Every structure is written in C-alpha cells, then in structure tokens.
C-alpha cells in the first residue's frame, strides 16, 4: 500500500514527465492486494485500468509498471504501445493476463471466454489444462469498475457464466463514480443487486477499503470457486482518492465535501491503525513507509532515463506468422465427386474437429437440433458431442469476444454469426479486443479464431438478411477476411483459416451455398483431399483472355470475388477470348502483385462487387490499381457495385434491380473495350 501511494504521489509531482494519460489505484489498494495475494500461476486475471495495486500484489515491480506509464521501449507488457495499467502477461511465475482494451466492461466477455475454455479443457481432461502445484484448479478473475456493469456486454458475460457454470469471479470495485457521473445519476442498482437477477451467480458485498475483510472474503471466494467451479460476484465498496485519470482531474467535478468523505476510508491509514492495534512497532511501519518511498523514487528516475521505442518496430506484431504459406494437397483428387459449397464448409470443419480435439464450434442454432439455419453444421454435434458443438443465446458480442479467452487457454474456436447483417452487435469485441490483441501484446496473445458469416443477397432475403459487410470489416486492422466463391476454395481456405494463429472472418455467400442461383453451377467442384490447404492472400484466374487479344489491345481484366465471379463469367460469354477474371478469394491479405501484373497486361480494368458502390472496398481497390498501374492504363479503372440504397429490398424484382448482373457488367466491358 505504501508503494502504491508513493507511486501516485510521484506521478502527481512529476506531471511533465508523466505526460501520457493514466489512472492510479488510490483508494482501491486493499481489495486489489487482497485479490492478488490469493492467486497462483495457473490462474488468470484481467485487471482494469485502475488496478496497479493488483499488479504490485502479483509481483510486478514499480519500475516495470513505470516503463508502461512512460511508454518506454522495455515496457514488458506492450513495448510502449499501451496505456498505464494495461498489462498482458504469459509466464510460469504469475497468473496469465490477456490483453484487454480501455473500453469499460468489454473485458467481461473475453475473460469469461477464458473460463469457458478452462471448463472445456476440464471436461475433456486435456493436458493443456494447467493446475496449481498441489493440483489446484485454476480460477479466473475479471476486475470491473461498478459503472461498467451497466454495459450490455457485461450482461451477456453474466448470462453465459451462469448458464454454463463457469469458474469465474467478477470483482466489482465500486467507488461511486463513473468519470463525472455519480452512481445515483446513472444507475438504479449497484452490481450486487444487479447480480441478484442472475440465479446461480453467488454474490457478496464487502468493504473493499478494509484489508482484513477483503483478504478473508477473497480467500474464501477463490477457494470456493476452485472447488465448486461456479461463478461468483464480489462487490467491494471503495473510496476514489485519486483523479479519474491524469487528464480528468478530481477537482473538475467533485466537491470538497465529497473528497473529504472518501478520504475517511483511505485503506492505508486504516490498515496502519489495525497493525498498531495488533502490536506492530510504529518504527517498523515508519521504516516501511520510508523504504517504499525511496524505492519508488529510485525506480522512477530509472524509468525516466530508460530508452524510447525504436520507430522501426512500429509495424511488428500486427499478425502472428501463419504456418500455411503455400497450396498443398490435391485440389481435384481422382475419384472424388463434386460437392456444393455448404458441404465443403461442413466437411472441412468435420475433418478439422477429427484432427484437432481443441477445436470447438458454437453460435446461434448450430447445435444438435438444427445444425445451422443453412444446415452448414448438420451432424457435427451428433458426431462430436454437445461439449464441442453447441448453441449459444442471441449474443453476437459474446460469440465473437469469447474467442479471445478461448484462444488464450489453447482452445481453437470456430464460431458463427447467423447473418452478416447481425455482426454489428459483435463489433465492439472484434474491434477493441480481437483485432488489437496481437499488436498490443507484442505477439503474446494473437487470437486464433475463425468467425463464419453467411453473407449476400438472393431470393428475396430482405433488408436484414442480405447485406454485404466487407468494407466495414476491411476498415479494421488486425483481422483477415476471406471470401471463397466455390467449394474447393471454401474447403482449402477454411483449413488455412483454422491453422492461422490470427482472427479470420470467413464470408460465405449463401446464394452460392447450393448453386441454386442460375449461372452458379461452377461453384460446385470436386471435393479436395483431406490435406488440401489454400493459403490466404492468393488470388487466381478463373478465366484467362487469349494472348492475341491481349496483344492487340482487345482485352479487359475483371477483378472480383464471391457472386461477382459468376456475374463476370456471364458477361464474358459476350466477349469470347477477351476477358481475364481474377477471383480475389481473400480480401485481406490482398494479392496486389497478382492484380497489378494482370491489369498491366490489359490496360483496362473493372472492379466488380456486390456491395453498394460508393465508398466501398471496390472503389478503394480501384484507386490503388490506378496508382500502381497508371502508365499502363488505356482507360480509367471502372467500378460496378450495387445501387447506393440503404438496404436490399425484399421484393425480388427490386432486389435484382439493386444488384449487378451479367448485363450490367457487359455494358461496362463494352465501354472499356471501345475506349
């Protein structure tokens, strides 16, 4: 406690040096230290941005924390990339700490995902499950501020933890403030009362400024969860003695009366008084205070002098290296029959789950009864059990965000969002937690997950089951996006996506699943071999123009993907021998070299997409092609997408009016060839 107090005072006295935004644990020290002292290296904990005392209690030094405070090169957590008290750690000597964002409450889902993964490892008796030195079962602690409990994603985490009886403890530190909003302004109940609405979530309310009460309670709760393997919520009432952050100072919004009221419950003087009552010599306490202050001062000066990060490293750790770098296996083995795309996905996942016992599949309606609304998971639960293939509630945020925790314990989740239009509730998790984890943990916590998303318009699906989302996804850095157009690519890319240690979103056009749309028969292909993999980021030519036509300037290149491949094929029949069709297959990473090479041969290019055209990925790609191929172009790069209306209409005539088709593509090709 003396160390934490000295650190806060040092930062305040050196505001010019401590120029990056930070919070301190002042007022929260007792419950934080009491929590840290219960944990073993087999455990997991997700501290939030005010939890420096937890980190001190786990054994991190002030110097290590200060390196992050000052964004220095040797910051062991993030190498100067992340705010103070935003740790991540993987080692044999301390509990594991996954990376988490600053977004309040968002850590509840990834951390609950850790407990979900641990439970699965227990169920299958996996050797990946790490226990304590005396066989203790691991527990997971998720630390939250009380104001964050109003977030809907915290509710999703509570729901899942109670439903599945997960070994997770939600530690809620309630200081009565959410930045400048007091508790009575913004919520009708505290975390303890809220937890009462989740039957099966045990709960306790304590004085978090009292170290003895905090220690005894956390010891009891941690031991209970180690043995009973069920969730628990601890609400600890604490004072807020510091600023919300260094940039939002307490005097901006709090009265002197409020500050004095909180100061009465400062855990440091409270513990000091109890120690004196127990007969501890005051000189010993004075020595501790002096020693802590001197150590903090010395370590702060060392941290100030520590080197800054090397700018040359800024692009490191965006992704972890993938083992799949070349196409392997047989794409068209003799004797195999043609299969449709939906079966290619099903067969790929079945083979993955046969080979990798750590693979799981979950999402809405993918379980035993239905096997997916497109039957894309049919029979998998029967074959692999409800422990490995199961339904979730309608919780896109949980489905996506839980994969962070699952991946951290060595489970490899494949999850499904039922339609592309419904991925948006999961965007918080995809953007704030998943995409940044590898980069901000300096490679310690890449998130290995495959997120399956049926996409696209056909057959009157209507405005909420037909949308295209690739441009939105591609604006997120740190994820990969795949979009196969035929069964062989589906199987090969699914295998590569699973083996990739990074998050991969598989966009699967539901209009191509069964080749029911006229003109998509070629989406059916011979089923590739079991060991077939197709690396991400490799485009292919599905139709090649004649060399003579290219040489005479009578050719054109179409760059497309998904359903666009079949609109392009339809149009190309009107221009025999004159058309190259490039199927991108992967939208990120993008095979730019191949695209540019082919465009330069033709001098004319059309980028074709199903998305609404304005401000789309296709338009951005057209600009990049124009920039890279400018001196070889005979005409401006054309783009064709859907009409710029907010949604796909239900009526099938209106739907077709909105979308591109072979005739519309033909008009643009004719214009290009005549330019």
């Amino acid at each position: 406690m003396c160390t934490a107090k000295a650190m806060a005072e040092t930062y305040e006295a050196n505001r010019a040096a401590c120029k990056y935004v930070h919070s301190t644990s002042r007022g929260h020290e007792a419950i934080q230290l009491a929590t840290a002292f219960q944990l073993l290296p087999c455990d997991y904990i997700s501290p939030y941005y005010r939890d420096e005392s937890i980190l001190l209690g786990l054994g991190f030094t002030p110097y290590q924390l200060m390196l992050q405070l000052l964004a220095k090169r040797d910051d062991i957590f993030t190498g100067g990339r992340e705010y103070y008290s935003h740790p991540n750690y993987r080692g044999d000597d301390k509990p594991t700490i996954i990376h988490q964002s600053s977004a309040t409450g968002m850590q509840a889902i990834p951390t609950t995902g850790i407990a979900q993964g641990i439970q699965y490892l227990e169920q299958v008796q996996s050797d990946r499950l790490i226990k304590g030195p005396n066989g203790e079962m691991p527990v997971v602690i998720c630390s939250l501020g009380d104001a964050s409990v109003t977030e809907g994603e915290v509710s999703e985490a509570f729901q899942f933890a109670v439903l599945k009886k997960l070994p997770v403890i939600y530690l809620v530190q309630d200081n009565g403030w959410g930045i400048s909003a007091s508790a009575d302004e913004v919520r009708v109940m505290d975390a303890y009362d809220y937890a009462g609405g989740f039957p099966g979530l045990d709960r306790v309310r304590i004085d978090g400024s009292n170290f003895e009460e905090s220690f005894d309670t956390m010891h009891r709760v941690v031991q209970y969860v180690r043995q009973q393997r069920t969730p628990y919520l601890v609400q600890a009432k604490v004072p807020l003695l510091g600023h919300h952050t260094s940039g939002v100072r307490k005097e901006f919004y709090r009265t002197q009366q409020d500050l004095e009221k909180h100061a009465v419950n400062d855990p440091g003087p409270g513990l000091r008084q109890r120690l004196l009552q127990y007969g501890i010599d005051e000189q010993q306490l004075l020595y501790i205070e002096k020693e802590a202050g001197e150590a903090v001062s010395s370590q702060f000066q060392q941290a100030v002098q520590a080197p800054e990060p090397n700018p040359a490293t800024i692009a490191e750790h965006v992704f972890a290296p993938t083992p799949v770098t070349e196409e392997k296996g047989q794409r068209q083995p003799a004797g195999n029959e043609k299969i449709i795309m939906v079966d290619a996905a099903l067969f790929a996942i079945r083979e993955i789950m046969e080979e990798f016992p750590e693979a799981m599949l979950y999402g809405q309606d993918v379980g035993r009864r239905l096997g997916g609304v497109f039957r894309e998971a049919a029979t998998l639960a029967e074959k692999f059990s409800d422990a490995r293939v199961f339904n979730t509630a309608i919780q896109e945020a949980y489905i996506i965000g839980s994969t962070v925790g699952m991946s951290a314990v060595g489970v490899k989740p494949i999850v499904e969002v039922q339609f592309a239009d419904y991925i948006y509730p999961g965007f918080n998790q995809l953007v704030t937690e998943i995409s940044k984890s590898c980069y901000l943990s300096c490679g310690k916590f890449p998130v290995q997950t495959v997120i399956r998303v049926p996409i696209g318009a056909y057959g009157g699906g209507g405005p909420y089951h037909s949308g295209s989302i690739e441009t939105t996804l591609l604006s997120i850095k740190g994820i990969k996006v795949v979009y196969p157009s035929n069964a062989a690519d589906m199987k090969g890319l699914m295998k590569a996506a699973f083996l990739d240690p990074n998050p991969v979103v598989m966009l699967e056009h539901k209009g191509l699943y069964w080749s029911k749309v006229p003109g998509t028969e070629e989406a059916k292909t011979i089923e590739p071999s079991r060991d077939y993999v197709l690396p991400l980021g490799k485009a292919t030519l599905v139709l090649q123009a004649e060399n003579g036509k290219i040489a005479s300037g009578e050719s054109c290149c179409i760059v497309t993907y998904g359903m666009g491949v079949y609109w392009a094929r339809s149009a190309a029949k009107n221009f025999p021998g004159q058309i190259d069709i490039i199927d991108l297959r992967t939208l990120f990473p993008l095979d730019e070299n191949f695209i540019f090479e082919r465009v330069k041969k033709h001098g004319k290019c059309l980028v074709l997409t199903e998305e609404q055209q304005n401000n789309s990925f296709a338009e951005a790609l057209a600009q990049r092609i124009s920039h890279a191929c400018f001196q070889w172009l005979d005409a401006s790069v054309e783009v064709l997408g859907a009409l710029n209306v907010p949604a796909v209409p239900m009526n099938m005539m209106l739907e077709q009016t909105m979308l591109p088709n072979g005739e519309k593509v033909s008009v643009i090709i004719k214009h290009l060839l005549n330019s």
Side-chain angles (χ1 to χ4, degrees):
M1 282 195 194
C2 294
T3 299
K5 182 173 184 289
M7 290 165 69
E9 291 171 347
T10 299
Y11 303 162
E12 186 67 10
N14 294 273
R15 290 175 61 186
C18 303
K19 57 189 176 182
Y20 301 111
V21 174
H22 58 272
S23 297
T24 71
S25 58
R26 285 292 288 122
H28 296 230
E29 299 98 327
I31 183 60
Q32 291 186 18
L33 292 168
T35 299
F37 294 157
Q38 313 306 321
L39 299 182
L40 301 171
C42 64
D43 296 324
Y44 291 77
I45 184 168
S46 289
Y48 83 117
Y49 59 79
R50 200 181 296 283
D51 281 356
E52 67 186 354
S53 285
I54 283 181
L55 301 177
L56 291 172
L58 293 176
F60 295 102
T61 66
Y63 177 70
Q64 289 174 316
L65 304 189
M66 291 166 180
L67 289 174
Q68 186 172 54
L69 171 82
L70 303 175
K72 295 292 189 173
R73 182 194 68 189
D74 297 329
D75 158 29
I76 64 168
F77 304 125
T78 67
R81 297 177 175 186
E82 183 62 288
Y83 304 101
Y84 183 57
S85 193
H86 283 63
N88 60 84
Y89 187 78
R90 192 189 289 276
D92 297 331
D93 61 330
K94 296 179 179 68
T96 300
I97 307 173
I98 62 171
H99 173 266
Q100 64 185 48
S101 72
S102 293
T104 55
M106 297 303 101
Q107 71 269 37
I109 286 177
T111 310
T112 304
I114 296 173
Q116 180 187 347
I118 287 173
Q119 184 187 71
Y120 173 69
L121 297 178
E122 290 180 49
Q123 290 172 341
V124 300
Q125 299 180 327
S126 171
D127 57 8
R128 292 172 181 258
L129 179 67
I130 299 174
K131 299 181 182 180
N134 298 308
E136 295 94 341
M137 297 300 288
V139 299
V140 181
I141 292 183
C142 178
S143 178
L144 300 157
D146 195 66
S148 71
V149 177
T150 56
E151 285 280 6
E153 292 181 33
V154 175
S155 170
E156 291 193 23
F158 286 2
Q159 287 270 4
F160 199 92
V162 172
L163 178 68
K164 299 295 185 179
K165 296 181 173 59
L166 301 180
V168 59
I169 299 165
Y170 300 102
L171 170 62
V172 180
Q173 300 174 57
D174 183 5
N175 60 34
W177 287 96
I179 309 184
S180 67
S182 62
D184 57 358
E185 284 182 84
V186 295
R187 52 190 190 269
V188 297
M189 66 187 81
D190 65 13
Y192 178 87
D193 290 333
Y194 186 57
F198 297 87
L201 179 57
D202 288 312
R203 57 187 173 140
V204 63
R205 181 190 276 134
I206 64 170
D207 178 0
S209 67
N210 183 311
F211 180 77
E212 291 173 274
E213 181 180 345
S214 297
F215 187 93
D216 291 343
T217 299
M218 292 309 299
H219 179 76
R220 175 177 60 82
V221 170
V222 168
Q223 293 308 312
Y224 180 86
V225 176
R226 283 203 199 282
Q227 296 162 15
Q228 300 302 317
R229 319 306 287 157
T230 57
Y232 220 111
L233 182 138
V234 177
Q235 186 201 11
K237 187 68 177 176
V238 292
L240 177 60
L241 302 182
H243 307 289
H244 168 69
T245 68
S246 56
V248 182
R249 303 180 65 76
K250 57 189 178 184
E251 58 267 21
F252 293 174
Y253 61 94
R254 296 173 66 187
T255 66
Q256 187 62 34
Q257 182 182 13
D258 177 71
L259 294 170
E260 291 172 356
K261 177 183 174 182
H262 280 247
V264 171
N265 294 314
D266 187 336
L271 178 58
R272 195 180 197 281
Q273 185 61 34
R274 290 293 287 160
L275 292 172
L276 290 172
Q277 292 172 1
Y278 278 119
I280 303 297
D281 182 70
E282 185 169 16
Q283 290 303 312
Q284 185 177 353
L285 300 183
L286 291 171
Y287 175 77
I288 290 172
E289 292 166 354
K290 180 175 180 290
E291 185 180 44
E294 291 175 349
V296 166
S297 177
S298 172
Q299 292 180 58
F300 182 74
Q301 293 306 316
Q302 292 177 49
V304 169
Q305 298 301 318
E308 300 290 333
N310 181 354
T313 65
I314 190 170
E316 293 178 359
H317 305 299
V318 175
F319 293 108
T322 177
V324 181
T325 57
E326 59 184 63
E327 189 172 1
K328 292 183 179 180
Q330 291 183 283
R331 185 176 174 91
Q332 294 181 306
N336 278 15
E337 297 181 354
K338 279 191 173 185
I339 57 171
I340 55 178
M341 278 185 68
V342 72
D343 284 348
L346 174 65
F347 298 163
I349 293 175
R350 184 179 66 196
E351 291 171 3
I352 287 168
M353 297 189 78
E354 287 171 348
E355 185 174 352
F356 298 94
E358 64 270 29
M360 295 179 69
L361 172 68
Y362 56 94
Q364 296 165 30
D365 300 306
V366 302
R368 186 180 297 268
R369 293 187 191 90
L370 187 60
V373 294
F374 301 105
R375 303 295 288 160
E376 71 282 3
T379 72
L380 292 178
E382 287 83 354
K383 181 174 179 61
F384 298 107
S385 84
D386 296 330
R388 295 185 68 190
V389 181
F390 58 88
N391 294 327
T392 66
I394 303 172
Q395 295 181 330
E396 288 83 3
Y398 189 86
I399 292 168
I400 290 174
S402 60
T403 65
V404 177
M406 298 280 277
S407 178
V409 301
V411 178
K412 298 181 179 180
I414 303 169
V415 298
E416 182 174 313
V417 173
Q418 203 163 76
F419 291 93
D421 307 80
Y422 300 132
I423 199 172
Y424 298 105
F427 253 63
N428 255 347
Q429 294 295 318
L430 190 60
V431 174
T432 65
E433 309 301 332
I434 289 179
S435 70
K436 297 175 175 62
S437 183
C438 185
Y439 183 69
L440 293 180
S441 69
C442 292
K444 293 191 290 295
F445 289 97
V447 180
Q448 183 167 16
T449 182
V450 179
I451 302 171
R452 299 184 63 190
V453 185
I455 192 172
Y458 91 103
Y464 294 103
H465 296 81
S466 308
S468 292
I469 60 169
E470 51 265 38
T471 294
T472 309
L473 288 172
L474 291 165
S475 70
I476 306 168
K477 312 311 172 192
I479 65 172
K480 299 183 180 183
V481 181
V482 175
Y483 204 140
S485 69
N486 59 70
D489 288 350
M490 172 74 86
K491 188 173 183 184
L493 290 169
M494 184 74 77
K495 293 286 187 76
F498 177 80
L499 295 171
D500 199 304
N502 303 288
V504 181
V505 179
M506 291 282 299
L507 300 178
E508 306 172 16
H509 200 296
K510 59 185 189 292
L512 298 177
Y513 266 157
W514 298 283
S515 290
K516 289 183 178 180
V517 177
T520 62
E521 183 67 22
E522 288 179 88
K524 299 178 184 177
T525 68
I526 298 294
E527 181 184 3
S529 61
R530 185 184 183 93
D531 61 345
Y532 180 66
V533 289
L534 181 61
L536 309 189
K538 299 294 183 183
T540 188
L541 272 180
V542 296
L543 184 67
Q544 188 167 352
E546 296 173 3
N547 289 333
K549 297 289 188 181
I550 296 174
S552 63
E554 300 176 88
S555 66
C556 172
C557 178
I558 302 177
V559 180
T560 189
Y561 56 95
M563 188 63 78
V565 171
Y566 300 94
W567 295 327
R569 282 184 177 275
S570 174
K573 293 175 182 176
N574 299 320
F575 307 92
Q578 295 179 270
I579 307 300
D580 260 13
I581 300 176
I582 297 176
D583 183 354
L584 295 177
R585 302 197 288 199
T586 303
L587 308 187
F588 192 89
L590 185 66
D591 196 350
E592 289 188 348
N593 290 337
F594 183 74
I595 297 166
F596 299 158
E597 173 192 326
R598 298 306 302 180
V599 171
K600 288 175 182 178
K601 289 180 179 292
H602 299 274
K604 304 179 182 72
C605 176
L606 165 64
V607 182
L608 175 61
T609 180
E610 183 172 327
E611 282 195 293
Q612 291 94 323
Q613 183 172 324
N614 279 8
N615 303 313
S616 63
F617 158 67
E619 287 196 333
L621 177 55
Q623 189 280 328
R624 284 148 74 183
I625 293 171
S626 296
H627 179 76
C629 306
F630 182 76
Q631 68 188 85
W632 289 272
L633 292 175
D634 297 322
S636 62
V637 177
E638 294 286 347
V639 180
L640 177 62
L643 299 181
N644 298 302
V645 296
V648 181
M650 177 77 77
N651 179 276
M652 284 190 278
M653 184 179 296
L654 294 176
E655 177 189 80
Q656 289 304 311
T657 301
M658 176 189 178
L659 296 174
N661 57 35
E663 293 179 7
K664 295 178 183 179
V665 175
S666 294
V667 170
I668 295 180
I669 291 176
K670 185 175 181 180
H671 168 74
L672 278 170
L673 292 175
N674 291 331
S675 61

